[in-house]
């Protein structure tokens, strides 16, 4: 034992030094007390590895790429001011059933959402195969440009179909720009994209992972899914590009997601999110009538686009979710594969239950990410005790992201109801100020409940000790999940 004692002493001293250095680092960079406490526990209870995990996953506030992203967005917007139809409200959505939802639109605008946009045509896809077919059809009809921004693009048969079509359009002279997340798309091989690049398309990754000191960040990812064709048609939602998203995975089976096709003034907002991300990643500024054509009313729906990300001083989507839950009087229906709320959102949901609001959560039965799955389960008991109803989707993979309030207002897009989406990821969503659209989503939600298993409070309370232990351990990482 004596021969190992010097090594033991060295590592013990190293752990003390690292802990003493990292704990102040955590306290200075984490504003949220829950996140600070969680990370302090990880650093203390997991020697050395805890400090490494914080350096990789927890430290994002003083981050050079994000500081650059903030400055870049400010410079881009000052040099490329929004057109009149993007900067003003236009006609107000005065036909809403009461002023609650008008006020919510105004609040969203104050926390960095785009203006409320009437006059949109919206197609809601609950079936991913139909969504994918609609996406390919729109790309095939492109005449000037196709802009795609996705978290994940697989190199499988589904990804190959998209790449082949984009290559064909590029050869026809259509401008093709493809942006994907560096971590989400790390399996996408260059050989798959080579024909597309050779055809003249421009391709880049968002926030590449680097080993440079203080810039090794795998935690801040671009989770957006946006496609814009000719500045006139746009798609967004939760679906990435890959075989599993079309239900071709033996493990997941049927894939339930929500995707939107937009025509009308709201397209300009999604286009602007893309061009700002593209300019940041690729260094090419895009503006003018070919990218932002004059708006034409295409339908009767009122839509408000909102972006959020760690480069914002105010977490836009998180604030909007919080306000919407507190505004509910009848029902709050949530669909999210990952449910890891912060303390305030959890309190808002409990308060809604105490007020007699019908609170429902539709989530996974079969996990794909075990850390998020068990962290989510930690919060189930609190909600069940106050009367919330929790359903686990049994037909396949529940990947849709929806928040539906009182049958009057809703939001769907790329963001889950978890800390990762609402604090760490770059996200995009559409606020739906049209009861007709919310009714379509509610109908699909009710249908999903028939394919789900309702969680019984007593049965869940009697779960095994090992499950409880896993839930408590994983919730320590909840600030990163």
């Amino acid at each position: 034992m004596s021969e190992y004692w010097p090594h033991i002493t060295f590592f013990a001293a190293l752990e003390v030094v690292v802990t003493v250095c990292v704990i102040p680092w955590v306290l200075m960079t984490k504003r949220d007390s829950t996140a600070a406490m969680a990370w302090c526990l990880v650093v203390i209870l997991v020697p050395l590895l805890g400090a490494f995990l914080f350096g990789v996953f927890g430290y994002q506030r003083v981050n050079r790429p994000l500081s650059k992203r903030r400055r870049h967005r400010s410079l881009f917007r000052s040099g490329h001011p929004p057109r009149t139809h993007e900067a003003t409200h236009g006609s107000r959505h005065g036909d809403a059933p009461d002023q609650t939802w008008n006020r919510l639109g105004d609040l969203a605008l104050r926390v960095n959402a785009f203006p409320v946009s009437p006059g949109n045509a919206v197609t809601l896809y609950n079936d991913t195969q139909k969504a994918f077919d609609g996406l390919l059809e729109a790309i095939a009809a492109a005449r000037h440009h196709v802009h795609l921004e996705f978290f994940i693009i697989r190199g499988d048969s589904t990804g190959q179909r998209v790449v082949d079509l984009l290559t064909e359009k590029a050869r026809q002279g259509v401008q093709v720009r493809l942006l994907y997340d560096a971590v989400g798309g790390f399996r996408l091989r260059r050989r798959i994209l080579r024909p597309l690049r050779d055809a003249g398309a421009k391709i880049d990754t968002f926030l590449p992972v680097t080993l440079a000191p203080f810039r090794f960040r795998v935690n801040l990812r671009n989770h957006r899914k946006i496609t814009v064709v000719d500045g006139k048609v746009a798609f967004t939602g939760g679906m990435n590009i890959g075989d599993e998203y079309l239900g071709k995975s033996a493990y997941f089976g049927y894939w339930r997601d929500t995707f939107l096709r937009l025509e009308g003034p709201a397209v300009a907002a999604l286009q602007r999110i893309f061009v700002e991300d593209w300019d940041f990643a690729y260094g090419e500024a895009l503006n003018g009538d070919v990218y932002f054509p004059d708006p034409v009313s295409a339908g009767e729906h009122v839509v408000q686009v909102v972006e959020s990300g760690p480069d914002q001083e105010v977490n836009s989507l998180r604030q909007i979710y919080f306000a919407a839950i507190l505004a509910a009087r009848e029902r709050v229906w949530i669909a999210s594969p990952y449910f890891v709320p912060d303390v305030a959102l959890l309190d808002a949901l409990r308060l809604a239950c105490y007020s007699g609001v019908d609170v429902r959560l539709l989530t996974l039965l079969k996990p794909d990410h075990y850390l998020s799955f068990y962290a989510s389960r930690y919060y189930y008991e609190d909600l069940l005790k106050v009367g919330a109803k929790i359903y686990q989707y049994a037909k396949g993979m529940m990947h849709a992201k929806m928040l539906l309030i009182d049958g009057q207002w809703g939001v769907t897009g790329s963001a889950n109801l978890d800390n990762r989406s609402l604090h760490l990821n770059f996200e995009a969503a559409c606020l739906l100020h049209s009861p007709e659209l919310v009714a379509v989503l509610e109908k699909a939600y009710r249908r999903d409940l028939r394919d789900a298993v309702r969680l019984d409070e007593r049965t869940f309370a009697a779960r095994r000790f090992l499950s409880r232990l896993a839930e408590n351990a994983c919730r320590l990482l909840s600030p990163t999940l």
Side-chain angles (χ1 to χ4, degrees):
M1 185 68 181
S2 59
E3 61 180 301
Y4 297 108
W5 186 249
H7 301 289
I8 296 173
T9 303
F10 171 77
F11 282 107
L14 179 62
E15 165 59 15
V16 171
V17 171
V18 169
T19 301
V20 168
C21 292
V22 174
I23 291 297
W25 188 18
V26 173
L27 296 176
M28 292 298 293
T29 57
K30 289 296 177 184
R31 292 182 180 178
D32 181 74
S33 59
T34 303
M37 177 63 72
W39 276 115
C40 285
L41 288 174
V42 171
V43 171
I44 293 170
L45 298 178
V46 186
L48 299 180
L49 178 59
F52 173 77
L53 290 174
F54 176 74
V56 174
F57 295 106
Y59 173 58
Q60 78 270 352
R61 291 199 59 81
V62 186
N63 184 285
R64 290 170 60 190
L66 287 193
S67 299
K68 178 183 176 183
R69 178 70 170 83
R70 293 188 188 104
R71 293 194 304 271
H72 194 276
R73 182 173 62 181
S74 177
L75 290 172
F76 183 93
R77 294 197 177 192
S78 63
H80 304 83
R83 296 163 61 96
T84 303
H85 68 274
E86 295 176 75
T88 62
H89 278 269
S91 62
R92 294 292 296 158
H93 43 302
D95 56 346
D98 64 56
Q99 292 301 309
T100 300
W101 314 115
N102 283 349
R103 291 196 298 271
L104 199 56
D106 292 335
L107 180 146
L109 186 63
R110 293 190 184 100
V111 295
N112 205 42
F114 287 86
V116 174
S117 298
N120 297 282
V122 181
T123 302
L124 293 168
Y125 296 105
N126 297 310
D127 182 274
T128 53
Q129 185 61 60
K130 293 180 180 178
F132 186 68
D133 292 342
L135 181 66
L136 292 184
E137 182 181 355
I139 293 173
R143 293 294 177 265
H144 182 266
H145 65 268
V146 178
H147 295 160
L148 293 96
E149 178 175 355
F150 280 88
F151 175 58
I152 294 174
I153 301 178
R154 302 289 190 206
D156 52 26
S157 61
T158 300
Q160 191 65 61
R161 284 184 64 189
V162 173
V163 171
D164 289 345
L165 178 57
L166 292 174
T167 302
E168 179 184 346
K169 299 306 295 185
R171 288 171 178 164
Q172 293 173 6
V174 174
Q175 297 178 12
V176 174
R177 295 177 179 88
L178 175 62
L179 181 65
Y180 62 94
D181 185 75
V183 172
F186 78 99
R187 294 182 180 178
L188 188 60
R189 298 291 178 255
R190 291 184 178 180
R191 59 178 176 79
I192 295 175
L193 297 176
R194 188 175 298 116
L196 177 58
R197 200 184 301 272
D198 291 344
K202 297 178 180 178
I203 305 168
D204 212 335
T205 56
F206 193 91
L207 280 182
V209 177
T210 173
L211 296 177
F214 298 102
R215 296 189 64 185
F216 180 58
R217 300 288 175 264
V218 298
N219 206 31
L220 308 176
R221 305 319 322 161
N222 189 330
H223 197 241
R224 295 167 179 159
K225 294 91 175 172
I226 296 173
T227 300
V228 182
V229 177
D230 292 340
K232 299 177 180 179
V233 178
F235 293 81
T236 192
M239 183 183 73
N240 288 295
I241 296 176
D243 284 349
E244 68 265 40
Y245 302 99
L246 299 184
K248 297 180 181 180
S249 166
Y251 177 78
F252 294 116
Y254 179 77
W255 192 280
R256 170 68 172 90
D257 222 323
T258 300
F259 214 59
L260 295 84
R261 182 186 191 273
L262 293 165
E263 289 184 80
V267 173
L270 290 170
Q271 179 81 299
R272 188 156 294 280
I273 293 173
F274 174 86
V275 298
E276 289 182 11
D277 287 348
W278 179 256
D279 197 19
F280 169 72
Y282 192 85
E284 179 186 24
L286 306 172
N287 209 29
D289 292 342
V290 292
Y291 301 109
F292 296 93
D294 290 332
V296 177
S297 179
E300 300 179 350
H301 296 304
V302 181
V303 177
Q304 187 174 17
V305 175
V306 57
E307 61 173 330
S308 66
D311 58 327
Q312 294 181 338
E313 293 298 330
V314 177
N315 296 311
S316 301
L317 272 173
R318 187 263 179 205
Q319 303 287 22
I320 293 167
Y321 279 21
F322 183 78
I325 293 169
L326 291 181
R329 295 295 177 264
E330 297 178 11
R331 54 189 180 272
V332 174
W333 290 359
I334 300 166
S336 179
Y338 318 115
F339 178 77
V340 188
D342 60 29
V343 173
L345 283 173
L346 185 62
D347 283 344
L349 289 170
R350 286 191 292 211
L351 182 60
C353 289
Y354 288 137
S355 302
V357 174
D358 177 16
V359 176
R360 303 186 184 191
L361 169 64
L362 178 61
T363 188
L364 295 174
L365 176 63
K366 182 187 295 186
D368 59 337
H369 300 296
Y370 281 92
L371 285 177
S372 298
F373 179 75
Y374 281 105
S376 296
R377 287 170 62 88
Y378 174 82
Y379 298 95
Y380 291 173
E381 193 165 0
D382 285 341
L383 290 180
L384 290 171
K385 284 180 179 179
V386 295
K389 304 178 184 72
I390 300 177
Y391 299 84
Q392 295 178 300
Y393 192 68
K395 186 178 178 180
M397 174 66 178
M398 168 50 64
H399 198 251
K401 303 97 165 52
M402 294 183 289
L403 176 64
L404 308 176
I405 307 291
D406 290 353
Q408 303 297 325
W409 183 92
V411 56
T412 185
S414 64
N416 301 298
L417 211 160
D418 61 4
N419 285 317
R420 171 161 293 282
S421 282
L422 301 182
H423 293 276
L424 299 175
N425 285 344
F426 294 88
E427 305 281 2
C430 291
L431 312 184
L432 307 177
H433 297 277
S434 292
E436 298 83 3
L437 292 175
V438 178
V440 174
L441 292 175
E442 282 196 344
K443 182 178 179 180
Y445 193 95
R446 289 190 179 94
R447 185 169 59 248
D448 294 332
L449 295 184
R450 295 197 294 268
D451 295 317
V453 178
R454 182 174 173 181
L455 201 60
D456 179 75
E457 182 182 356
R458 291 184 179 180
T459 302
F460 187 70
R463 65 197 183 281
R464 294 180 303 171
F465 170 77
L466 288 179
S467 179
R468 291 176 177 271
L469 183 61
E471 293 159 15
N472 278 274
C474 290
R475 63 106 175 196
L476 292 177
L477 296 175
S478 61
T480 70
L481 300 175

